[in-house]
Structures are given as C-alpha cells and as structure tokens.
C-alpha cells in the first residue's frame, strides 16, 4: 500500500499511530510461527459476540437508591480512612441507627 496514512485522528482528537508495512509483516510472521494462535478469519470475527451481563458483579436482590447527600468533612474522612467500601459502611451505620430507633420506640 503506497502512501498509506501513518496515523489516524479520532473525533476527540486522539491520534493513533498505525503500524508500518514492515511492522505488519513482522507481526504476521510472529503469529504464523506461534502454534498456539492464528489470525481469525472474517467469518470467525463476524461470529464473535460480547459477553454481556455474564461479566462483572451479579445483580443484587435489593438495589440501593443513588442519592446526593452533604456530610461533614470529618464524617467522610472517618469512613474513607477505613478504605474501599466506605459508602457501604455509612449505609450500615444508618441502618443500625434506624434499628435502634425502632427498638426504642417499642
């Protein structure tokens, strides 16, 4: 391919540098030399499907409602100091408070 572009610019302005013909030849030779792999045919590529919901975390039985809340900096710092899951710990603390209030009302 004579005069092939050496890069492509996306709509967002990101520049992708393309392989040269020599690079492509070297890559194809490496694929051909590897007994554990091969280049997919157009038919095989067309048959590929995304994993969908199979990947990632399973859907929870009870989903939580997203809200925006203003908290004191010391409250946020306290819960974040415990590491990941700080929002879950805030939720657990509020649930414990609600349970204690319900017990006190009985």
């Amino acid at each position: 391919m004579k005069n092939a572009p050496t890069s492509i610019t996306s709509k967002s302005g990101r520049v992708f540098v393309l392989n040269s013909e020599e690079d492509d030849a070297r890559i194809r030779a490496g694929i051909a030399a590897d007994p554990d792999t091969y280049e997919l045919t157009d038919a095989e590529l067309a048959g590929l499907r995304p994993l969908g919901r199979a990947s990632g975390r399973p859907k929870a039985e009870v989903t939580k409602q997203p809200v925006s809340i203003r908290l004191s900096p010391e409250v946020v710092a306290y819960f974040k100091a415990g590491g990941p899951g700080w929002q879950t710990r805030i939720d657990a603390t509020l649930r414990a408070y609600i349970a204690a209030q319900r017990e006190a009302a009985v």
Side-chain angles (χ1 to χ4, degrees), residues 23-97:
D23 289 337
D24 277 343
R26 197 170 59 250
I27 291 168
R28 283 188 183 16
I31 292 171
D34 187 346
D36 294 328
T37 191
Y38 63 96
E39 230 175 317
L40 296 176
T41 65
D42 290 338
E44 290 171 321
L45 285 172
L48 295 178
R49 298 285 176 255
L51 292 175
R53 293 279 313 157
S55 63
R57 189 178 352 175
K59 187 133 176 107
E61 287 183 29
V62 178
T63 58
K64 295 180 180 175
Q65 181 178 355
V67 296
S68 176
I69 184 172
R70 293 177 168 278
L71 300 171
S72 305
E74 50 277 358
V75 170
V76 175
Y78 174 82
F79 282 97
K80 279 189 170 184
W86 63 275
Q87 292 172 325
T88 302
R89 288 191 297 279
I90 290 175
D91 183 64
T93 302
L94 292 172
R95 286 170 158 267
Y97 175 81

Side-chain angles (χ1 to χ4, degrees), residues 1-23:
M1 288 183 357
K2 293 257 182 194
N3 300 324
T6 57
S7 65
I8 296 175
T9 304
S10 70
K11 289 181 183 177
S12 66
R14 186 171 176 190
V15 177
F16 295 93
V17 178
L18 302 176
N19 292 334
S20 67
E21 289 181 32
E22 294 81 24
D23 289 337

